[in-house]
């Protein structure tokens, strides 16, 4: 069954995201060249979405190489940066050094939308998101039939149950459409990061560690199911284009593992999530027209992490004339903060 036979709300955006991150993917492959394929990798994410006092909505992802254990990385960050960005006044040097280390241990991609884009509301319409549900279920049924070893029937049925619950919410009068759009954006952008990592390093597995957030908790973390569907679809779309162009593509996809944050208390990997937290918080504050920031601490992160960096990328999402476009950017030169 062809991909074109499904009605997916974000399908037109998936190849756009892959094209916008092509240069980042090439740089990532070169940066992480010392690591052999079939290793397990981690990706940490955090989001700054819906803050009316910020000019941007941001989804940040930090890819962490298999250079040490998660526990040891947590221990280092706990000592270097004991607080998140919101609760710190002075940016810890140790955290910035980890994000810009001369040894290849991290690589980040952040997706930025101006707040007036309203999470691409003109393109992520409720009726389209509702249409997505039966299409996604059909796609899962297709993959279960074609690749029965990919997941058990029990796991498949649990995914279908979560999708149906999401569909009922989309059809209800009490729908939180903004949150639903956040979930689709988080799924599409995370799938893009995972596919870039898969193409660059052919990892055995990717563990996704996300901050505790409403979009993660909704319907027993159905956003992970959305991500899985987008991850597989995007890989198929990209592979078809590469094969048609006479290029080779990896024959395997990394297994995705999703870390479910605790609903209360301390996040088990709170320290690791602190990495994308500093990135998302800084980019959310950046005025795209004047290139100004509201506080010195954001300026410190921008200048010491993003400016002149080849390993901390920004992708800006734009909409207009019925299309969603994306472009990648790197900050050059020394940024000067203006009030």
């Amino acid at each position: 069954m062809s991909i074109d036979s499904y009605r997916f709300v974000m399908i037109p955006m998936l190849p756009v995201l892959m094209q916008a991150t092509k240069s980042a993917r090439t740089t990532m492959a070169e940066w992480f060249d010392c690591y052999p394929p079939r290793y397990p990798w981690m990706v940490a994410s955090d989001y700054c979405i819906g803050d009316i006092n910020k000019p941007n909505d941001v989804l940040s992802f930090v890819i962490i190489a298999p250079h040490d254990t998660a526990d040891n990385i947590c221990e280092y960050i706990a000592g270097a940066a004991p607080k998140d960005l919101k609760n710190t006044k002075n940016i810890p040097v140790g955290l910035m050094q980890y994000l810009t280390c001369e040894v290849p241990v991290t690589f980040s991609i952040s997706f930025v939308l101006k707040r007036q884009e309203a999470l691409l509301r003109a393109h992520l319409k409720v009726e389209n998101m509702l249409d997505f549900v039966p299409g996604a279920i059909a796609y899962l049924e297709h993959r279960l039939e074609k690749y029965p070893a990919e997941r058990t029937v029990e796991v498949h049925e649990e995914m279908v149950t979560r999708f149906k619950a999401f569909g009922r919410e989309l059809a209800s009068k009490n729908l939180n459409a903004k949150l639903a759009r956040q979930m689709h954006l988080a799924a599409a952008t995370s799938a893009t990061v995972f596919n870039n990592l898969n193409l660059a390093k052919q990892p055995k597995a990717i563990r996704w560690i996300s901050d505790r957030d409403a979009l993660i908790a909704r319907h027993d973390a159905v956003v992970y199911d959305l991500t899985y569907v987008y991850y597989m679809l995007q890989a198929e779309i990209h592979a078809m284009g590469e094969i048609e162009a006479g290029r080779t593509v990896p024959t395997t996809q990394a297994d995705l593992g999703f870390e479910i944050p605790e609903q209360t208390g301390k996040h088990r990997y709170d320290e690791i999530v602190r990495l994308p937290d500093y990135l998302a918080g800084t980019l959310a504050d950046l005025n795209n027209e004047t290139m100004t920031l509201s506080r010195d601490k954001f300026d410190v992160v921008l200048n010491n992490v993003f400016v002149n960096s080849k390993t901390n990328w920004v992708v800006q999402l734009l909409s207009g004339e019925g299309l969603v476009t994306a472009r990648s950017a790197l900050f050059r030169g020394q940024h000067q903060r203006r009030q």
Side-chain angles (χ1 to χ4, degrees):
M1 186 178 295
S2 71
I3 293 173
D4 292 338
S5 65
Y6 301 109
R7 299 173 66 188
F8 289 106
V9 59
M10 292 289 285
I11 275 192
M13 192 172 169
L14 297 179
V16 171
L17 290 171
M18 286 299 285
Q19 182 61 33
T21 51
K22 183 178 180 179
S23 295
R25 178 167 67 251
T26 300
T27 304
M28 183 198 308
E30 295 171 352
W31 178 240
F32 288 136
D33 183 61
C34 62
Y35 296 97
R38 309 306 293 164
Y39 266 56
W41 290 64
M42 289 189 295
V43 175
S45 65
D46 196 18
Y47 323 105
C48 188
I49 298 176
D51 188 337
I52 62 174
N53 297 312
K54 301 293 183 181
N56 304 310
D57 291 319
V58 183
L59 303 96
S60 289
F61 300 85
V62 176
I63 299 166
I64 304 171
H67 69 96
D68 207 337
T69 66
D71 288 342
N72 284 346
I73 294 171
C74 283
E75 183 178 354
Y76 168 77
I77 298 173
K83 297 179 181 180
D84 61 19
L85 181 62
K86 181 175 64 176
N87 295 311
T88 193
K89 182 178 180 181
N90 298 312
I91 301 299
V93 174
L95 182 136
M96 292 189 294
Q97 289 175 335
Y98 188 70
L99 289 168
T100 58
C101 184
E102 293 183 0
V103 177
V105 293
T106 68
F107 191 100
S108 77
I109 302 177
S110 297
F111 299 86
V112 179
L113 305 87
K114 294 181 181 179
R115 284 205 68 249
Q116 55 262 41
E117 295 281 359
L119 300 172
L120 304 179
R121 182 173 56 193
H123 304 274
L124 291 173
K125 297 178 180 178
V126 172
E127 56 267 31
N128 299 134
M129 291 188 286
L130 186 56
D131 283 344
F132 171 91
V133 173
I137 292 174
Y139 181 71
L140 291 173
E141 297 280 1
H142 165 67
R143 289 202 65 87
L144 182 65
E145 180 180 350
K146 191 173 182 179
Y147 309 104
E150 193 171 84
R151 62 187 185 282
T152 66
V153 173
E154 181 181 5
V155 170
H156 169 79
E157 290 176 347
E158 290 173 351
M159 293 173 73
V160 170
T161 297
R162 289 190 290 268
F163 268 120
K164 288 182 176 179
F166 188 37
R168 287 192 295 271
E169 181 186 8
L170 288 165
S172 73
K173 295 180 180 179
N174 297 320
L175 169 66
N176 185 340
K178 181 179 178 181
L179 180 58
R181 291 187 187 96
Q182 290 180 23
M183 293 164 66
H184 275 279
L185 279 171
T189 52
S190 59
T192 300
V193 172
F194 302 154
N195 272 310
N196 275 305
L197 178 55
N198 192 72
L199 290 168
K201 293 309 305 174
Q202 293 83 60
K204 179 180 181 180
I206 300 172
R207 179 203 270 184
W208 182 15
I209 300 173
S210 180
D211 191 16
R212 185 187 294 120
D213 194 279
L215 66 87
I216 298 296
R218 202 70 168 181
H219 297 302
D220 196 22
V222 71
V223 68
Y224 292 144
D225 302 318
L226 294 176
T227 299
Y228 171 79
V229 170
Y230 282 137
Y231 173 63
M232 300 308 299
L233 275 172
Q234 189 179 51
E236 291 179 26
I237 294 170
H238 180 75
M240 286 191 295
E242 293 295 287
I243 291 171
E244 289 175 0
R247 294 185 287 267
T248 59
V249 294
T251 57
T252 59
Q253 283 288 106
D255 294 331
L256 298 184
F258 305 114
E259 188 71 31
I260 306 295
E262 299 84 350
Q263 294 185 359
T264 59
K266 185 179 181 295
H267 190 309
R268 185 157 68 114
Y269 292 114
D270 182 63
E271 292 83 5
I272 289 178
V273 174
R274 215 163 285 160
L275 298 171
D277 167 69
Y278 275 68
L279 304 184
T282 296
L283 293 173
D285 192 74
L286 180 64
N287 186 309
N288 297 281
E289 306 301 327
T290 63
M291 296 302 292
T292 57
L293 294 150
S294 67
R295 301 180 68 178
D296 287 335
K297 65 179 181 180
F298 299 132
D299 194 65
V300 170
V301 176
L302 185 68
N303 275 307
N304 289 279
V305 176
F306 287 105
V307 171
N308 297 326
S309 172
K310 293 182 179 180
T311 59
N312 293 288
W313 286 71
V314 176
V315 177
Q316 187 176 19
L317 301 181
L318 307 164
S319 64
E321 299 181 358
L323 296 173
V324 176
T325 59
R327 63 185 183 189
S328 59
L330 291 173
F331 293 96
R332 299 299 186 192
Q334 186 75 8
H335 175 266
Q336 297 295 326
R337 176 175 175 246
R338 300 191 303 271
Q339 297 290 346

